[in-house]
Amino acid sequence: MDKIITYLDNSGFMVEFPKVILVFDYYRDPAHCVVKALEHKPDVPVIFFVTHNHRDHFNTDIFNLGQSHRRLYVLSNDIPTREIHDDMPIDWMSRGDIIEGLPEGIKVHAFGSTDAGVSYLVVFPEGDTIFHAGDLNLWHWDEENTPREVEKARSLFTTELNRISESIAAVDVAFFPVDVRQGANCAAGAEKFLSAIAVKNFFPMHFKGSYEQACDFADYRLPPEVSERTTMHCLHKPGDTVRV
C-alpha cells in the first residue's frame, strides 16, 4: 500500500496511509508536519504510538493534537498516567500483547526492548507491516563497558531478536536505532536485525549526534543478499519525507 513517511525528530516518524495516519514516538515536531497532515486530512483517524516513557520518545503534546479527529493511543505500560483522562481511547501494551480492531483493521503486536518499554509491529489486513523498535537495540560501548557487560548486552538483544524473527520473517518498513554515540558499534544492532528479518525499507533513527555515520550505509557489515533486498533511507532533517 502506498504510504508517505515523514521524519519528525529523534525516533519520531509519521506514516500517512490514504485512510489512516500513524505517529510513532512523537517527541518534537519542529517542522509542524503532524499538524499540517491532520489539517490536510480532516476526516482521517490518527493513531499515536509510544514505545516507552523516555522524554525523547514521549511528549504529552500528543494528547492535544488532532482534537477534531478520531484519535487513538497505543501506549507502553510504563507511560505515566497523570496526564491521562479516563475517557481517552487508549490501548496499553506490554511485551506479548496483541490488539485488534483499530481503524482499517490494523493489528498491533508488542515485542520487548533491551531498554525501556516495548517495540511495535503494526499489521494491515492487506499485508503491509511496520516495525518500530523504540529503544530495542544492541546497547554497548566497548570503550566503557566490561567484557561481561558487553556479553550481557549481546545476549539480551539476541534473545529478543530471536523472539521477533520467530514471529515475523519480513517487514515492509522498519525504524531502528543507529546511535552514533556508540562509535564503531553504532550499527551493530541494525546489522543483526537486517540479517534476521527481511526488511524492504529501512530507516535509521535515534542518531543522538551527527547523522552522517548512521546514514553511511556502505559501512554497514551486511551480506550482499541483505543489501540487495533492502532499500535504505536517510531521513535526518525534521520534515524530511519519502513515499514508499
Side-chain angles (χ1 to χ4, degrees), residues 191 194-200 220-232:
E191 292 161 356
L194 288 164
S195 295
I197 298 168
V199 177
K200 186 175 181 181
Y220 282 36
R221 298 177 290 261
L222 297 172
E225 63 272 15
V226 175
S227 299
E228 290 169 4
R229 73 191 180 198
T230 303
T231 300
M232 313 288 271

Side-chain angles (χ1 to χ4, degrees), residues 10-11 133-139 174-191 193-194 202-217 220 232-233:
N10 194 49
S11 298
D135 266 358
L136 169 68
N137 193 16
L138 177 50
W139 294 113
F175 304 113
F176 199 94
V178 183
D179 193 322
V180 300
R181 295 175 301 175
Q182 292 183 272
N185 295 308
C186 70
E191 292 161 356
F193 184 86
L194 288 164
F202 178 80
F203 295 80
M205 64 180 187
H206 206 280
F207 306 127
K208 293 298 183 185
S210 174
Y211 70 89
E212 286 89 352
Q213 185 179 357
C215 288
D216 195 354
F217 301 127
Y220 282 36
M232 313 288 271
H233 300 272

Side-chain angles (χ1 to χ4, degrees), residues 52-146:
H52 63 287
N53 63 13
H54 291 172
R55 64 181 183 178
D56 58 346
H57 291 255
F58 170 55
N59 187 329
T60 56
D61 285 353
I62 61 174
F63 301 128
N64 300 317
L65 293 170
Q67 294 189 23
S68 61
H69 288 250
R70 180 187 176 193
R71 297 179 296 170
L72 300 96
Y73 301 91
V74 177
L75 307 181
S76 168
N77 270 319
D78 67 347
I79 300 299
T81 60
R82 59 182 176 271
E83 301 287 343
I84 296 171
H85 305 296
D86 291 339
D87 59 348
M88 288 181 174
I90 293 174
D91 284 294
W92 298 95
M93 300 201 77
S94 297
R95 186 178 72 187
D97 289 345
I98 299 173
I99 57 173
E100 302 183 66
L102 295 176
E104 300 305 301
I106 290 172
K107 179 189 291 187
V108 181
H109 301 249
F111 292 97
S113 174
T114 48
D115 195 348
V118 297
S119 50
Y120 290 124
L121 174 70
V122 180
V123 181
F124 283 76
E126 297 84 357
D128 284 78
T129 49
I130 299 171
F131 184 84
H132 193 290
D135 266 358
L136 169 68
N137 193 16
L138 177 50
W139 294 113
H140 72 78
W141 286 258
D142 285 343
E143 296 81 6
E144 301 175 19
N145 296 135
T146 66

Side-chain angles (χ1 to χ4, degrees), residues 14-17 19-23 37-38 41 44-47:
M14 177 173 61
V15 186
E16 296 177 71
F17 289 86
K19 295 184 179 180
V20 66
I21 295 174
L22 313 180
V23 179
L38 294 175
K41 298 179 177 178
V44 173
V46 56
I47 307 174

